[in-house]
Amino acid sequence: MAEKKISPQSSALIGELEVPGDKSISHRAVIFGSLAKGQTKIDHFLDGEDCLRTVDAFRQMGVDIEQQGESIVINSGGAENLIEPKVPLYFGNSGTTARLMIGLLSGLPLFTTIYGDASLSERPMDRVVLPLSAMNAAISGRSDAKLLPLAINGKELQAIQYTLPVKSAQVKSALLFAGLFANGETVITEKAKTRNHTETMLEAFGAELAVQGNTIRMNGKQALKPVDIYVPGDISSAAFFLAAAAAKRDSSLVIKKVGLNPTRTGIIDVLTQMGAQIEISNKKRIGGELLGDVKISSSSLIGIEISGDIIPRLIDEIPIIALLATQAEGRTVIKDAAELRVKETDRIAAVVEVLTTLGASVTATEDGMIIEGNQELTGGNISAYHDHRMAMMGAIASFFTTEDIVIDDISSIAISYPSFFEDLKKITTN
Ligand code: S3P
């Protein structure tokens, strides 16, 4: 346990910063680079614990992956030359590794067993196991294969047409990876658009797919060609500093080269609606992904309602949005976000518990929360619930508290943002 005491931060957030690479894109780059025959180079890779679990998995399957911090070089014999791992694959805390790999492993001629840490072992896997079973996948495991550990006996899969009951990019991606090795055309329909990095990267690696509205069609048995990838900065990591700068008086901050894929920019829309001053410049597209520089200056903020189709576009940002809402004028209501209950922890319960301990007035609802604005935060002992985004939200709260905050364990921050505190120092004066 790495406890951390943080004193109230009087400093504004000033300057420029590049945040580490996007977690979702880093995972996918390693997967595609390992499936494509030949050499793939990845730049600005997220050297965080979750993405390293994906790297480890492919090393166990015989792929040569050289990593030096943010640079990765993959030399692979292609999907057909992956070897059966002799030991169970450990996915740690990484839901993305688990869901995406279950999809992929279902369609490869290998037997694998997979497991994770205590948190991942409680997270629902039936959302991928059920549609994969309809494709002829052979997956068994704990609680009728709803929970890790699971055993996957790779099979010849048949493509399906499927409407996703949950708004989840992980489920969509699992089915696309399975579909890539299946016979026939996979057709996936989403009720709301979720992050589309898998689709973008499939195209970058030379696969053909058709996206029309919320429906994706892709033929199976397509070969992938290696391509070099640059991973934009993670907007979900940038969100912590953007939110702090929006509310902390006299702040002016630029986050450079951050990912601006529209399926991820719900946080920019929310900050703008709350009254933050945001300018975006130097927009460009690399490998199909949009990135640019985001400048934010502090201003007075107002509470808003956040619900409906925007939720998947900001699902990981809700803890920091909730903190920000305590500093806005008026009430903020978050709805349609029941998915938060099955993240690294129950993020509705955790956010309400942490913000209440810090002196805010927040009420949990079944699918979200109601946050009163204009709250003076005091301080206190809070738990990070072994959840990286809860730990970083707790640290940012120190910009708005009058007393010390003690976070029980900040080690989870290494999952998505190992240099979080160093970067925070670069843009503050105390
Ligand atoms: C992710 C999708 C989201 C998100 C997670 C990363 C991905 O999860 O919360 O941090 O990389 O596809 P869901 O698909 O479960 O919503």
Side-chain angles (χ1 to χ4, degrees), residues 23-24 28 96 127 167-170 195 315-316 343:
K23 180 157 80 69
S24 296
R28 288 156 172 84
T96 307
R127 51 182 57 200
K167 295 168 190 165
S168 163
Q170 292 178 355
R195 64 192 70 194
I315 190 72
D316 292 339
K343 292 295 176 189

Side-chain angles (χ1 to χ4, degrees), residues 102 105-106 110-115 129 137-142 145 147-154:
I102 293 170
L105 294 168
S106 293
L110 312 170
F111 171 79
T112 45
T113 50
I114 62 173
Y115 71 113
V129 170
I139 306 170
S140 55
R142 200 159 65 93
L147 299 173
L148 296 184
L150 294 176
I152 304 166
N153 213 342

